[in-house]
PDB file of all heavy atoms in Angstrom:
ATOM      1  N   CYS A  58     202.330 -15.088  40.896  1.00  0.00           N
ATOM      2  CA  CYS A  58     203.073 -15.717  41.938  1.00  0.00           C
ATOM      3  C   CYS A  58     202.851 -14.900  43.283  1.00  0.00           C
ATOM      4  O   CYS A  58     203.004 -13.683  43.276  1.00  0.00           O
ATOM      5  CB  CYS A  58     204.584 -15.746  41.617  1.00  0.00           C
ATOM      6  SG  CYS A  58     205.700 -15.952  42.951  1.00  0.00           S
ATOM      7  N   SER A  59     202.559 -15.640  44.443  1.00  0.00           N
ATOM      8  CA  SER A  59     202.163 -14.944  45.579  1.00  0.00           C
ATOM      9  C   SER A  59     203.343 -15.190  46.663  1.00  0.00           C
ATOM     10  O   SER A  59     203.129 -14.754  47.780  1.00  0.00           O
ATOM     11  CB  SER A  59     200.917 -15.452  46.185  1.00  0.00           C
ATOM     12  OG  SER A  59     199.818 -15.335  45.265  1.00  0.00           O
ATOM     13  N   GLN A  60     204.469 -15.707  46.218  1.00  0.00           N
ATOM     14  CA  GLN A  60     205.442 -15.978  47.121  1.00  0.00           C
ATOM     15  C   GLN A  60     206.059 -14.622  47.552  1.00  0.00           C
ATOM     16  O   GLN A  60     206.141 -13.684  46.824  1.00  0.00           O
ATOM     17  CB  GLN A  60     206.537 -16.884  46.510  1.00  0.00           C
ATOM     18  CG  GLN A  60     205.943 -18.240  46.230  1.00  0.00           C
ATOM     19  CD  GLN A  60     207.200 -19.164  45.717  1.00  0.00           C
ATOM     20  OE1 GLN A  60     208.331 -18.919  46.056  1.00  0.00           O
ATOM     21  NE2 GLN A  60     206.838 -20.157  44.977  1.00  0.00           N
ATOM     22  N   HIS A  62     209.592 -12.690  47.921  1.00  0.00           N
ATOM     23  CA  HIS A  62     210.961 -12.850  47.302  1.00  0.00           C
ATOM     24  C   HIS A  62     211.809 -11.728  47.964  1.00  0.00           C
ATOM     25  O   HIS A  62     211.377 -10.626  48.120  1.00  0.00           O
ATOM     26  CB  HIS A  62     210.978 -12.639  45.837  1.00  0.00           C
ATOM     27  CG  HIS A  62     210.139 -13.618  45.078  1.00  0.00           C
ATOM     28  ND1 HIS A  62     210.607 -15.012  45.023  1.00  0.00           N
ATOM     29  CD2 HIS A  62     208.961 -13.701  44.359  1.00  0.00           C
ATOM     30  CE1 HIS A  62     209.730 -15.713  44.372  1.00  0.00           C
ATOM     31  NE2 HIS A  62     208.750 -14.930  43.957  1.00  0.00           N
ATOM     32  N   HIS A 111     202.308 -11.342  42.135  1.00  0.00           N
ATOM     33  CA  HIS A 111     203.047 -10.660  41.059  1.00  0.00           C
ATOM     34  C   HIS A 111     202.816 -11.317  39.688  1.00  0.00           C
ATOM     35  O   HIS A 111     202.939 -12.559  39.684  1.00  0.00           O
ATOM     36  CB  HIS A 111     204.460 -10.751  41.478  1.00  0.00           C
ATOM     37  CG  HIS A 111     204.870 -10.315  42.749  1.00  0.00           C
ATOM     38  ND1 HIS A 111     204.855  -8.977  43.115  1.00  0.00           N
ATOM     39  CD2 HIS A 111     205.224 -10.812  43.860  1.00  0.00           C
ATOM     40  CE1 HIS A 111     205.193  -8.779  44.294  1.00  0.00           C
ATOM     41  NE2 HIS A 111     205.406 -10.060  44.925  1.00  0.00           N
ATOM     42  N   LEU A 113     203.679 -12.951  36.339  1.00  0.00           N
ATOM     43  CA  LEU A 113     204.978 -13.504  35.773  1.00  0.00           C
ATOM     44  C   LEU A 113     205.301 -12.785  34.504  1.00  0.00           C
ATOM     45  O   LEU A 113     204.399 -12.094  33.875  1.00  0.00           O
ATOM     46  CB  LEU A 113     204.767 -14.986  35.624  1.00  0.00           C
ATOM     47  CG  LEU A 113     204.340 -15.785  36.893  1.00  0.00           C
ATOM     48  CD1 LEU A 113     204.604 -17.254  36.537  1.00  0.00           C
ATOM     49  CD2 LEU A 113     205.172 -15.429  38.055  1.00  0.00           C
ATOM     50  N   CYS A 141     208.714 -15.645  37.580  1.00  0.00           N
ATOM     51  CA  CYS A 141     208.704 -14.479  38.469  1.00  0.00           C
ATOM     52  C   CYS A 141     210.145 -13.827  38.518  1.00  0.00           C
ATOM     53  O   CYS A 141     211.027 -14.584  38.810  1.00  0.00           O
ATOM     54  CB  CYS A 141     208.239 -14.857  39.879  1.00  0.00           C
ATOM     55  SG  CYS A 141     207.860 -13.452  40.907  1.00  0.00           S
ATOM     56  N   PHE A 143     212.663 -12.629  40.036  1.00  0.00           N
ATOM     57  CA  PHE A 143     213.505 -12.446  41.149  1.00  0.00           C
ATOM     58  C   PHE A 143     214.650 -13.455  41.209  1.00  0.00           C
ATOM     59  O   PHE A 143     214.424 -14.340  40.443  1.00  0.00           O
ATOM     60  CB  PHE A 143     212.653 -12.501  42.403  1.00  0.00           C
ATOM     61  CG  PHE A 143     211.758 -11.260  42.539  1.00  0.00           C
ATOM     62  CD1 PHE A 143     210.545 -11.075  41.880  1.00  0.00           C
ATOM     63  CD2 PHE A 143     212.153 -10.100  43.277  1.00  0.00           C
ATOM     64  CE1 PHE A 143     209.790  -9.932  41.899  1.00  0.00           C
ATOM     65  CE2 PHE A 143     211.486  -8.892  43.198  1.00  0.00           C
ATOM     66  CZ  PHE A 143     210.308  -8.817  42.626  1.00  0.00           C
ATOM     67  N   ALA A 154     206.428 -19.733  41.076  1.00  0.00           N
ATOM     68  CA  ALA A 154     207.325 -18.789  40.540  1.00  0.00           C
ATOM     69  C   ALA A 154     207.779 -19.079  39.145  1.00  0.00           C
ATOM     70  O   ALA A 154     208.242 -18.365  38.504  1.00  0.00           O
ATOM     71  CB  ALA A 154     208.450 -18.590  41.479  1.00  0.00           C
TER      72      ALA A 154
HETATM   73 ZN1   ZN B 401     207.230 -14.410  42.733  1.00  0.00          ZN
END
Side-chain angles (χ1 to χ4, degrees):
C58 165
S59 302
Q60 296 186 22
H62 295 291
H111 308 285
L113 304 192
C141 191
F143 288 82

